[in-house]
Amino acid sequence: MAGRAATTSVLNNSKFRAILYQLIMASLLIYLGWSIAENTIANMEARDIRAGFGFLDETAGFSIMMSLVPYEPGDTYGRVFLVGLLNTLLVAGIGVVFATMVGFLVGIMRLSQNWVVSRLATIYVEIFRNVPLLLQILFWYTAVLKPLPGPRQVFERNTEIYFGISNRGITVPEFIFLENFSFTTWTALLGILFTIGIHRWAKQRQATTGEQFPVFFAGLGLTIGLPILVFLLSGAPVEFTPAKMGRFNLAGGITIIPEFLAVLLSLVLYTASFIAEIVRAGIQAVNYGQTEASRALGLRNGTTLKLVIIPQALRIIIPPMTSQYLNLTKNTSLAAAIAYPDLVATFAGTALNQNGQALETLAITMTVYLSLSLLTSALMNWFNSRVKLVER
Amino acid sequence: MSNPRSVFFVRKEFISARQAPASTIGVLGWIRNNLFSTPFNSLLTVALGGLGVWLIWGALDWLIFNAVWAGGNEACKVNPEGACWTFISTRFDQFVYGFYEKPERWRVDLILLVLFTGIFWSGWERAPARKWVGGFMLIPFPLIAWVVLYGGIFGLPVVETSQWGGFTLTLVVSLIGIIVSLPLGILLALGRRSKMPIIHSTCLFFIEFWRGVPLITVLFMAAYVLPLFFPAGLNFDQLLRALIGFALFAAAYMAEVVRGGLQSLNKGQYEAADSLGLSYWKSMRLIILPQALKAVIPGIVNTFIGLFKDTTLVLIIGLLDLLGMVHAAIADPNWSIRSVPTTGYAFVAITFFIFCYGMSRYSRFVEEKLNTGHKR
């Protein structure tokens, strides 16, 4: 045996070969990285491009049409980054919520017994899924929202506007919360806490005695009904200041810019068509025997759906849903095409063109999206591990 | 005691089966069961049916019945309440060829003809020599197409890539993305499943990086930063740089699809290949990959569809693909008519819809053919 081992070439030893391959791979990578670094430094010197992150403290000098935090043209590039990031997060956050709602609705509609309902849902899904998102954004912006008449044609002078649509976007009154509003906030928070408590208690009681408790309606009353009551009792402490049409322009109020509306609308409709398919596939993947079994137990249709089908379908739905949320977040970057001031349009667009530090700017932008992706998938993995099947 | 008054009656023949009630069969029964089974259902049918008819009728009216089909921009100014198809027909050549020189456009036509023939040939199941045609379309054809389109040899004049545009550019970007991404994606997927830590982590990092960033930032990177990476003097044109970015991006997505296929295979397949004494590459080529790829054909086609739609993003770095061309043409002041933007976008939308829907139907068809499980 010892003789055999000696005659075998060392090249046929799998451990040796693994080390060899990896050495080759590693040296290739190091060479690639080194040559890229060297070329980049040489090229940047030749083209007189600065390096480093010092530009973040310099004055940006351009204005941004929408920002959630105070911003002036005199602020720094670092501030521009913050404004862009917040705008991206705003549209992504609202988009995820609405896309989920529309997607679930359409997905369930596709499974409806009613021919008209399921057919309409199918048409919706097929159209919105098969048309590029960028095209949808451009369509809503250039063909629908921008050609709307301007405020001077829509609103009469010196009128107060409670709800109006023009090519400036949607105009609504500004809300100012007075001091007494804190009662409502505290009631709502307490209501949420109580609902969680009741939910736990009801679950335990059902497990021990089998009796059910209407948690949903109790929760609805505690989290929405009670705060409304407190709100009215404390004297409705909210002030509306509607927008006013001046001589040429709108003053006051809140105007939701058409860029935001176009991006949100297209992201929601596009992503919802994918979510609808995921929901449909997830519900259909639950074995029909489960429905039959729960009917045999005498459960009603709604109860079957709630207690038997959805909990099992969720396990199938959640992983692909995660990637849809990620896609939506990344797709907010298409907003740059219509100059919605998101991270890409402001920071990797206008700011990059001004300071010319493409490498640093794009590295920061990509890192932001990467961390957003990792964060979302970590959250969804945590949620997934909570609902997944416990196998023995 | 028997009762003399009782009459016993025994029927000798069967009564023929009666028809089911008229309300449960036929068109009427179907309508009743599917559309008006409960009051709520009836309400839904009426409300959504009305909405659907209104939408579809409105769309057809706008797109076809009330549309302007000929007569230049004057005709569209007269009738702004319908699609302005004459805008499309006036600029149709530009939308297909971009700024490709007129006398050389036969080259594009030739390539498009070969491309679509090849796709249908290799997609049609009973076509002869299907595999050979498919192989030709995958490897030699893109190279030949690039040479024919670019020119420079065989006496063909050079057409710079900056002149490429329109639907031709859309096809070039998507096909290069698709064709490069498949082999690269397979390699990455195999690398990610490798047990060698350096190879595994390199592939893992590569895949997660490209999947984690939006395509726009990748294209920006390709446009602004990529030239810095190469030694001075070595310069790629804008299109080639975008193609590199797009292909790497596509490969990462493809790798994840292929990995799904590799994971779905039974471990016994790997062990069987090993026990036959096959080398790693032989066992992958002969045993593992044929099964794994077959299992994920729908996923691969879905990735293709996604990539095809994503090609529109090149307009953001200034390449005029079909959408970019139409978007630029809309801004023409001669055509500043209310119906023109919608018509332009509708034209692009219909084009993309035909291709994407076609691909998704094909993948559904393949999926059903390969599905051997139980269905209800």
Side-chain angles (χ1 to χ4, degrees):
Chain A
M1 275 301 155
R4 274 295 289 281
T7 54
T8 313
S9 162
V10 71
L11 277 175
N12 287 340
N13 183 329
S14 64
K15 266 188 194 152
F16 173 78
R17 291 215 301 196
I19 292 170
L20 185 73
Y21 289 147
Q22 295 192 73
L23 273 180
I24 295 173
M25 184 88 180
S27 42
L28 268 178
L29 282 177
I30 290 169
Y31 170 74
L32 201 70
W34 179 76
S35 71
I36 283 180
E38 199 189 39
N39 285 333
T40 310
I41 292 168
N43 281 323
M44 281 170 78
E45 269 171 13
R47 294 178 202 192
D48 217 12
I49 305 175
R50 289 180 311 163
F53 293 94
F55 72 96
L56 286 174
D57 293 326
E58 287 168 19
T59 308
F62 58 89
S63 59
I64 298 177
M65 63 176 138
M66 171 181 156
S67 63
L68 297 175
V69 287
Y71 172 84
E72 280 163 26
D75 285 331
T76 59
Y77 284 121
R79 191 81 176 169
V80 171
F81 168 75
L82 182 68
V83 170
L85 178 63
L86 287 178
N87 282 343
T88 293
L89 290 179
L90 178 74
V91 80
I94 300 179
V96 161
V97 173
F98 280 108
T100 311
M101 293 199 294
V102 178
F104 260 88
L105 185 71
V106 176
I108 290 167
M109 276 169 73
R110 277 204 75 175
L111 292 170
S112 168
Q113 294 279 318
N114 188 320
W115 184 83
V116 173
V117 174
S118 66
R119 204 34 44 148
L120 267 185
T122 310
I123 293 175
Y124 164 81
V125 167
E126 292 299 351
I127 287 181
F128 282 88
R129 208 164 57 135
N130 286 319
V131 171
L133 176 62
L134 184 60
L135 172 60
Q136 297 189 30
I137 292 179
L138 290 175
F139 168 77
W140 288 113
Y141 184 66
T142 322
V144 177
L145 293 170
K146 266 287 140 180
L148 287 174
R152 284 177 76 186
Q153 280 98 51
V154 181
F155 312 120
E156 279 180 38
R157 225 174 122 186
N158 288 329
T159 47
E160 293 188 330
I161 297 144
Y162 287 92
F163 184 82
I165 301 175
S166 67
N167 67 0
R168 296 287 163 79
I170 292 180
T171 310
V172 288
E174 194 171 2
F175 298 89
I176 296 169
F177 298 108
L178 302 178
E179 211 173 315
N180 277 350
F181 190 76
S182 57
F183 289 119
T184 315
T185 327
W186 283 112
T187 320
L189 282 176
L190 281 178
I192 291 171
L193 282 180
F194 266 101
T195 312
I196 295 172
I198 287 177
H199 174 71
R200 289 208 175 144
W201 168 78
K203 216 171 165 184
Q204 207 168 21
R205 194 177 74 149
Q206 194 185 353
T208 48
T209 66
E211 282 176 73
Q212 290 186 337
F213 184 81
V215 179
F216 180 73
F217 292 104
L220 214 62
L222 279 171
T223 52
I224 296 175
L226 206 60
I228 289 179
L229 202 68
V230 170
F231 175 74
L232 292 176
L233 283 178
S234 59
V238 168
E239 234 174 43
F240 289 97
T241 44
K244 216 170 168 189
M245 186 67 210
R247 193 159 174 191
F248 298 109
N249 226 331
L250 287 164
I254 294 176
T255 298
I256 307 167
I257 57 174
E259 286 83 3
F260 177 80
L261 293 172
V263 172
L264 184 65
L265 197 63
S266 7
L267 275 178
V268 166
L269 292 178
Y270 182 77
T271 315
S273 67
F274 286 90
I275 292 180
E277 280 299 273
I278 292 169
V279 169
R280 180 186 65 90
I283 291 177
Q284 276 181 339
V286 177
N287 196 318
Y288 193 70
Q290 297 286 330
T291 311
E292 289 172 334
S294 79
R295 291 233 177 98
L297 286 175
L299 297 183
R300 267 179 271 148
N301 265 342
T303 328
T304 304
L305 207 63
K306 196 181 123 206
L307 296 178
V308 180
I309 310 294
I310 301 246
Q312 299 187 64
L314 267 188
R315 289 182 197 126
I316 305 163
I317 289 173
I318 284 172
M321 195 83 121
T322 311
S323 59
Q324 284 309 317
Y325 289 164
L326 290 177
N327 282 346
L328 189 144
T329 311
K330 282 181 285 171
N331 282 337
T332 53
S333 60
L334 297 195
I338 57 168
Y340 168 72
D342 77 325
L343 188 62
V344 171
T346 53
F347 190 63
T350 319
L352 188 153
N353 283 335
Q354 277 192 16
N355 61 38
Q357 289 194 273
L359 190 61
E360 292 87 348
T361 310
L362 285 174
I364 295 176
T365 314
M366 284 177 149
T367 314
V368 167
Y369 281 105
L370 260 180
S371 8
L372 278 181
S373 295
L374 292 178
L375 198 70
T376 315
S377 51
L379 270 177
M380 290 305 277
N381 280 342
W382 170 78
F383 184 60
N384 192 25
S385 68
R386 286 203 50 174
V387 295
K388 84 171 174 209
L389 197 65
V390 182
E391 283 182 50
R392 271 176 276 265
Chain B
M1 277 293 288
S2 67
N3 189 351
R5 279 193 301 158
S6 56
V7 176
F8 293 99
F9 173 75
V10 176
R11 185 179 277 283
K12 296 271 167 32
E13 63 274 342
F14 283 108
I15 310 176
S16 58
R18 258 188 294 174
Q19 284 260 304
S23 61
T24 60
I25 52 160
V27 178
L28 212 66
W30 182 86
I31 288 179
R32 212 178 147 129
N33 282 330
N34 285 293
L35 303 182
F36 299 100
S37 53
T38 60
F40 176 67
N41 216 346
S42 313
L43 188 75
L44 267 184
T45 306
V46 172
L48 286 178
L51 179 76
V53 168
W54 180 72
L55 280 175
I56 292 168
W57 176 253
L60 285 180
D61 190 44
W62 192 86
L63 284 170
I64 300 170
F65 305 127
N66 205 11
V68 180
W69 294 92
N73 54 0
E74 293 307 319
C76 290
K77 273 182 192 148
V78 175
N79 176 18
E81 297 301 326
C84 179
W85 293 118
T86 172
F87 166 70
I88 304 293
S89 55
T90 316
R91 303 217 164 211
F92 189 75
D93 278 359
Q94 210 183 45
F95 293 161
V96 175
Y97 305 104
F99 301 113
Y100 208 89
E101 278 162 33
K102 261 209 177 94
E104 302 299 326
R105 283 182 183 170
W106 62 268
R107 280 148 62 173
V108 180
D109 293 334
L110 180 73
I111 294 300
L112 290 185
L113 186 74
V114 176
L115 173 67
F116 288 118
T117 319
I119 287 175
F120 284 116
W121 194 324
S122 49
W124 186 40
E125 251 183 295
R126 273 173 295 177
R130 191 171 159 231
K131 279 185 182 161
W132 289 102
V133 175
F136 170 76
M137 295 308 292
L138 267 184
I139 301 161
F141 175 72
L143 298 171
I144 296 172
W146 185 275
V147 168
V148 172
L149 287 179
Y150 187 75
I153 49 171
F154 307 127
L156 292 171
V158 172
V159 181
E160 290 297 335
T161 53
S162 56
Q163 288 172 305
W164 302 12
F167 191 59
T168 315
L169 188 69
T170 300
L171 282 180
V172 167
V173 176
S174 55
L175 284 178
I176 298 282
I178 286 168
I179 285 165
V180 175
S181 70
L182 199 54
L184 203 57
I186 292 173
L187 283 181
L188 282 169
L190 290 177
R192 187 169 175 172
R193 282 175 63 79
S194 158
K195 287 191 190 75
M196 300 181 234
I198 293 181
I199 291 179
H200 168 80
S201 49
T202 309
C203 293
L204 181 72
F205 177 79
F206 185 92
I207 293 171
E208 291 305 325
F209 174 77
W210 293 103
R211 277 164 44 91
V213 296
L215 180 55
I216 290 201
T217 55
V218 173
L219 291 175
F220 275 173
M221 199 81 177
Y224 300 127
V225 181
L226 200 59
L228 298 176
F229 288 173
F230 296 110
L234 183 67
N235 229 337
F236 293 121
D237 65 3
Q238 174 93 343
L239 177 63
L240 211 56
R241 291 203 304 260
L243 281 177
I244 293 174
F246 192 71
L248 292 178
F249 181 81
Y253 280 83
M254 200 57 80
E256 282 302 273
V257 175
V258 175
R259 186 171 72 104
L262 291 173
Q263 278 179 345
S264 73
L265 278 194
N266 196 318
K267 208 179 162 214
Q269 296 289 332
Y270 291 89
E271 289 166 349
D274 282 348
S275 69
L276 285 176
L278 295 177
S279 73
Y280 176 78
W281 291 110
K282 262 195 176 158
S283 73
M284 286 300 141
R285 192 164 58 82
L286 298 172
I287 313 273
I288 306 299
L289 281 178
Q291 299 182 70
L293 291 181
K294 205 161 126 188
V296 290
I297 285 177
I300 292 175
V301 177
N302 278 342
T303 312
F304 285 173
I305 295 174
L307 292 175
F308 187 61
K309 285 185 294 180
D310 279 346
T311 55
T312 51
L313 265 64
V314 295
L315 94 85
I316 292 180
I317 56 165
L319 294 173
L320 293 175
D321 70 327
L322 178 63
L323 181 60
M325 224 55 186
V326 171
H327 189 60
I330 284 168
D332 182 348
N334 288 329
W335 289 94
S336 126
I337 303 160
R338 193 149 50 89
S339 58
V340 164
T342 316
T343 311
Y345 293 132
F347 169 69
V348 185
I350 291 167
T351 313
F352 271 96
F353 181 83
I354 291 170
F355 279 86
C356 298
Y357 190 67
M359 279 195 264
S360 79
R361 291 314 301 184
Y362 183 73
S363 101
R364 195 93 39 97
F365 159 76
V366 174
E367 196 179 350
E368 265 161 33
K369 210 184 65 175
L370 295 176
N371 183 10
T372 48
H374 298 284
K375 258 180 106 177
R376 274 195 84 102

